[in-house]
C-alpha cells in the first residue's frame, strides 16, 4: 500500500479503495512519450467499461505532479495519474529495473500493470507490457478474473 500525490497534488491513499473498487495500476516510464501517451489515452477511452466492472484505473510514473497535469490536460486523459517521484511504489512493485539502452545500463520503469481486487489482493501482474491494445487486453483479463 502507498500514498502518492495526483496531478492536482492531492494525496491519494490506495488503501481508501479497499472494499469499494478493484484497482488497475499501470506503471509507465514518462509523461508525453508516444507509447505512454497511447497507453494512458487508451485506458481513458475505456474508463466507462472498467467502471462497469468496479475498476478504478491509476497510472503511475516518476514524473512530478505538474508534468502529470500538463500531460493529462494536453491529451484529455481522465484516469488518475500519480507521481512517484521518490520511486517507492515503483520499488514496491518491482518495476524499477536496470535496462540497457545503446550499450549503457540505466534504471527506469518497466511498463507494467497490476490488478488488485476489492479485498486488496494482487490478482494479476504483467511486466514489460506492450502499450498498443493493452487497455482492451486488461478489460478481458478483469472479466476473466470476475468469473
Amino acid at each position: 500500500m502507498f500514498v502518492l500525490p495526483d496531478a492536482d497534488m492531492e494525496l491519494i491513499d490506495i488503501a481508501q479503495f479497499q472494499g469499494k473498487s478493484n484497482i488497475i495500476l499501470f506503471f509507465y516510464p514518462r509523461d508525453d512519450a508516444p507509447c505512454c501517451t497511447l497507453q494512458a489515452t487508451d485506458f481513458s477511452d475505456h474508463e466507462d467499461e472498467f467502471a462497469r466492472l468496479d475498476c478504478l484505473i491509476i497510472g503511475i510514473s516518476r514524473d512530478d505532479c505538474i508534468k502529470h497535469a500538463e500531460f493529462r490536460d494536453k491529451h484529455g486523459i481522465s484516469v488518475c495519474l500519480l507521481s512517484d517521484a521518490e520511486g517507492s511504489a515503483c520499488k514496491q512493485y518491482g518495476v524499477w529495473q536496470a535496462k540497457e539502452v545503446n550499450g549503457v545500463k540505466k534504471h527506469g520503469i518497466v511498463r507494467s500493470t497490476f490488478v488488485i481486487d476489492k479485498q486488496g489482493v494482487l490478482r494479476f501482474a504483467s511486466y514489460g507490457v506492450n502499450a498498443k491494445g493493452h487497455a482492451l487486453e486488461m478489460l478481458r483479463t478483469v472479466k476473466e478474473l470476475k468469473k
Side-chain angles (χ1 to χ4, degrees):
M1 296 296 172
F2 54 81
V3 178
L4 294 172
D6 68 7
D8 298 317
M9 297 182 204
E10 299 286 328
L11 288 178
I12 303 297
D13 183 347
I14 198 159
Q16 76 188 22
F17 304 111
Q18 202 163 326
K20 298 177 192 156
S21 297
N22 300 298
I23 300 170
I24 295 178
L25 286 182
F26 72 97
F27 288 84
Y28 63 100
R30 68 180 190 281
D31 293 337
D32 248 347
C35 287
C36 299
T37 302
L38 171 69
Q39 188 176 22
T41 55
D42 210 12
F43 271 120
S44 293
D45 290 346
H46 296 285
E47 196 172 20
D48 289 346
E49 294 164 73
F50 282 104
R52 282 194 285 278
L53 296 167
D54 288 330
C55 289
L56 178 71
I57 302 164
I58 299 173
I60 301 174
S61 83
R62 293 195 60 178
D63 289 314
D64 64 29
C65 299
I66 293 164
K67 268 192 160 167
H68 275 347
E70 290 168 354
F71 178 53
R72 175 194 64 196
D73 297 346
K74 178 179 177 183
H75 298 286
I77 294 165
S78 58
V79 298
C80 180
L81 299 176
L82 300 183
S83 171
D84 186 19
E86 303 296 316
S88 56
C90 290
K91 288 183 184 93
Q92 187 179 341
Y93 282 85
V95 303
W96 188 250
Q97 298 178 13
K99 303 182 204 178
E100 197 169 311
V101 182
N102 301 326
V104 179
K105 269 197 171 177
K106 293 172 141 178
H107 272 77
I109 291 177
V110 172
R111 189 181 313 282
S112 306
T113 305
F114 303 87
V115 177
I116 301 164
D117 70 15
K118 287 182 184 179
Q119 287 70 45
V121 176
L122 179 64
R123 297 287 307 276
F124 176 85
S126 182
Y127 294 86
V129 302
N130 185 343
K132 189 174 171 62
H134 185 61
L136 287 175
E137 187 182 310
M138 289 312 303
L139 207 47
R140 284 191 296 275
T141 299
V142 169
K143 285 176 184 172
E144 282 299 310
L145 290 173
K146 277 195 149 303
K147 287 183 180 173

